[in-house]
Amino acid sequence: MSIAPTLTEAAAARVAAIAQKQAKPAILRLSVEGGGCSGFQYKFDLASAPEGDDTVSETGGVRLVVDAVSLDLVAGSTVDFVESLGGAAFRVENPQAAAGCGCGSSFGI
């Protein structure tokens, strides 16, 4: 069985703040799409509820949901929220990624 990705405390706090501003549940959907400069790219959206085949993990009352297809590509990952001079962004630390890119939003297996 695949290991569910998790949120760091910083990422959970950021999702909670965004969800509150948008009056939505604190549920972050992480999915993987083909494309990006390394073959796959991460996509983040607020979800209204988990779907039937989603894997769900929770940090500080905030849920991270991942669909069954994406789960194989992000199993064991940690989603963090990083603020730097270049801006602020969610970043996925994926132990399966063999290649990445400078933007941190795409990867290869």
Side-chain angles (χ1 to χ4, degrees):
M1 184 167 173
S2 297
I3 300 168
T6 57
L7 290 169
T8 63
E9 293 290 334
R14 184 64 177 175
V15 171
I18 292 169
Q20 185 175 14
K21 278 184 187 172
Q22 295 186 12
K24 292 186 176 182
I27 303 172
L28 180 67
R29 174 170 297 283
L30 168 61
S31 56
V32 176
E33 298 180 337
C37 44
S38 296
F40 295 102
Q41 60 188 6
Y42 302 112
K43 183 176 179 209
F44 297 99
D45 292 300
L46 285 180
S48 54
E51 294 178 9
D53 66 346
D54 285 344
T55 296
V56 182
S57 67
E58 192 167 321
T59 303
V62 175
R63 291 186 280 178
L64 175 65
V65 295
V66 181
D67 65 87
V69 174
S70 298
L71 182 60
D72 287 341
L73 298 169
V74 296
S77 296
T78 302
V79 178
D80 196 7
F81 183 74
V82 181
E83 295 186 72
S84 65
L85 290 175
F90 288 103
R91 185 152 305 215
V92 179
E93 294 171 24
N94 188 342
Q96 298 187 70
C101 67
C103 67
S105 65
S106 72
F107 67 103
I109 300 273

